[in-house]
Amino acid sequence: MKILLVCQYFYPERFRVNDICFELVKQGHEVTVLTGLPNYPDGVVKEEYKKVRYEEINGVKVFRSWLLGRGSSNKTLFLNYLSFAISASLKALSLKGNFDKIIVYQLSPVTMAIPAIVAKKKFKIPLIMYTHDLWPESIVSGGITSKGTIYKSVKRLSKKIYKQADEIWLSSQMFKYYFNDYLEIDKQMTHLPVYAEDLFGSIPQREKDGEINLLFAGNIGEMQSVETILLAANELKERNDIVFHIVGDGSSKKRCEELKKEYHLENVKFHGSHPLEEMPYYYSIADAFLITLKDNKSISYTLPNKVQSYMAAGKPILGAINGETAKVVNQAECGFIVEAENHYALAKTIEKFVDIKNKEYLYRNSKEFYSKNYSKENYFINLSKALNN
C-alpha cells in the first residue's frame, strides 16, 4: 500500500510516529511523510535542517516544509502552527505520486491536518485521522479558558477539520464520546492504542532496601496535576519508608518545586528531564508508578502514553485520575486508582499499597495486561487490519 502520512513532527524529533513509519516500510508498504523542520522540543530549527526539503530515512521518503520554530512563547507557538499549516499545504499541492490513503498522525495542533485535507482533495483518496490529542481541549492546558472567544473559535475549526476525515482512529477508546457527544461527529472509528518503546520491556528489578520508591515520569503541565502528588507526599512525610521521584519538566514544575519548599518535603526528589535512552534507569528505581490528571471530563478521555510504558515495565500503577486510565488500570488489576485531584485519597491508597504483604500479583498483572492489549506485535496486526478495512 502507498501511504502518505502527514505529521508536523518527524525524525530526528522523538515521537512514536517514526517507529510506526519505519516498521510499515519493513512490512512492504511505501511510506511518504509530509512534515516540518525539526525544532521540538527546544523550539529552534536545527541548523543542519534549515535547507533540507527532502531526504530518505530508513526507506521512508520525507518531504519537509518550511516553518518557524516553536520558540518559547505562546505567540511564537501560534506562528509555528500557522506556518506549517500554510507551508505544508503548498507542499501538498506540489507532491507527485499515486497514493492509496492519507493518514494524519494527529498530535497537537489539529491544524497539522489541513495539508492532509488539501492532499485528499488533490489525490481524491481516503483520509484517516489518527487522533492522539483532543482539540480544542488541548489548548486548555496552555491557559486558554474554555469559555473564551479563542476556545470557541478553535472548537469550530477543529470540528470542521475532523469532519473532513473519512475515518478516525482513536488512541483512547473514550475519545469516541468526545467526538460523538461534544463535537457531534459521527464517523467510522477504530480503537488503536499505541505500544511502548522496546527499551521499557526489559527494566531490571531493583534490590529491596526497605524504601518504597514511587515514580512519576513525563510532562509536568497544568493538565497533569502533579501538584496532587506533592500534596499526597505532604500527607505522608512522617513515613520514612516512602520516597517520591519526579522525572520530567513542564509549565507547572516551578509550582511543584515551590510546594516542596513550602511543605519541607524531604520525601520528594526532582530529577529533571532526561532523554528516552536514560529512562530505563529511573524506571528501575520504581516500586510503583504514579499517574495524575486534572479533574476534567474531556481530558479524562485521554489514555496517556506513559500508561503503556508503565505496564511494559511490569510495575504497579497508583493514581488520582478519572476516565480511560482508571478504567484500564482497574480492568488490568495492576494498581489502585482514586478520583482526580484528591490528594487525601491518593495518600491513603499509597499507604494501602505499601502495607500489602504480597504485591507480586500487581507486577504480574501489569505485564500480562500489556502483552495482551498493548504489545508492539498486536499493534501492527491491528494497524494492518485498520489499513485494509
Side-chain angles (χ1 to χ4, degrees), residues 216 223-229 232 289-296 300 317-323 325-326 329 336-347 349-350:
F216 173 93
M223 289 296 107
Q224 282 69 39
S225 189
V226 179
E227 294 89 343
T228 302
I229 295 173
F289 292 112
L290 297 168
I291 188 163
T292 51
L293 275 182
K294 285 190 75 69
D295 184 10
N296 177 288
S300 74
I317 299 173
L318 309 176
I321 190 168
N322 300 332
T325 303
V329 173
F336 306 107
I337 301 294
V338 300
E339 60 271 21
E341 298 190 63
N342 189 334
H343 65 275
Y344 292 110
L346 180 59
T349 292
I350 290 170

Side-chain angles (χ1 to χ4, degrees), residues 341-358:
E341 298 190 63
N342 189 334
H343 65 275
Y344 292 110
L346 180 59
K348 292 291 184 184
T349 292
I350 290 170
E351 283 195 300
K352 174 184 175 181
F353 168 76
V354 171
D355 295 337
I356 291 175
K357 298 295 183 184
N358 182 9

Side-chain angles (χ1 to χ4, degrees), residues 14 199-200 247 271-282:
R14 294 180 177 274
L199 52 80
F200 292 116
V247 180
H271 298 276
S273 181
H274 294 268
L276 186 68
E277 293 79 8
E278 295 179 13
M279 291 311 296
Y281 165 74
Y282 292 98

